[in-house]
Amino acid sequence: MTWAFFVCAGLSLGTAIAKVRASLGGLIAAISAPLAMAIAKGSQKVMVTALDAATKPATLSLTTLGVLRAIEYGLLGWILASLASKERPRPLHFALAGTAIGVVFGGGITVLTLETAAVNGVALELPRAITTGLNEIVFPIGCALVVYIALQVGRHMKIISGEVR
């Protein structure tokens, strides 16, 4: 999943830069989410065209998904940047933030996807519906934990380099 890499990278960058301001972390994440999705969709279309494969009918428009993801990851970025600015951030807080965002937005995107597919007469197979839901809900948790781990690695690197000097 190409967009996953780009959005997590943007979220991590926003959180790292945002030690000064949590809102900056949220803004960077809000921009990186739809941008990452557009890059992923574009590269996917290029690959589908190159392979001359038939595409599955889209269930949600790229615009709708982009707006929802901008809000989702903007909010997640703001929350993670706020947590990162704390003296002793806890992994549980990062996991809970990812879980809350995943359930609210991921659950909402999953429901919208299923409803849009039904309205358009597209039969969404059960395995695809389940993987869509799991991906939408679990990914923000993983992304939040990756940001936490990156923060901890950065902090420990400062400690190590400080001891060497």
Side-chain angles (χ1 to χ4, degrees):
M1 191 181 222
T2 313
W3 80 270
F5 169 77
F6 290 115
V7 77
C8 242
L11 192 58
S12 296
L13 175 67
T15 303
I17 292 174
K19 292 201 178 190
V20 178
R21 291 188 144 170
S23 58
L24 182 60
L27 178 63
I28 291 172
I31 292 168
S32 69
L35 183 62
M37 198 181 65
I39 291 169
K41 284 287 187 188
S43 63
Q44 179 186 23
K45 285 183 181 187
V46 168
M47 290 303 294
V48 166
T49 303
L51 295 173
D52 197 32
T55 59
K56 293 183 180 178
T59 51
L60 280 180
S61 75
L62 187 58
T63 303
T64 302
L65 209 47
V67 168
L68 289 172
R69 290 230 167 103
I71 296 167
E72 175 183 15
Y73 286 95
L75 186 57
L76 182 61
W78 176 75
I79 292 168
L80 296 181
S82 296
L83 290 172
S85 68
K86 304 258 186 242
E87 175 105 10
R88 296 180 145 263
R90 303 276 184 238
L92 177 63
H93 297 151
F94 281 75
L96 288 174
T99 300
I101 293 295
V103 167
V104 171
F105 286 94
I109 288 171
T110 302
V111 168
L112 280 174
T113 299
L114 294 172
E115 287 180 358
T116 304
V119 166
N120 291 332
V122 176
L124 204 60
E125 310 86 31
L126 183 61
R128 184 171 174 212
I130 291 171
T131 56
T132 298
L134 284 175
N135 181 51
E136 293 293 341
I137 293 169
V138 173
F139 182 74
I141 300 167
C143 200
L145 291 174
V146 166
V147 169
Y148 173 79
I149 291 167
L151 286 169
Q152 294 308 305
V153 168
R155 285 191 172 121
H156 289 357
M157 293 306 288
K158 287 179 187 174
I159 292 169
I160 292 170
S161 66
E163 291 176 356
V164 173
R165 290 182 183 182

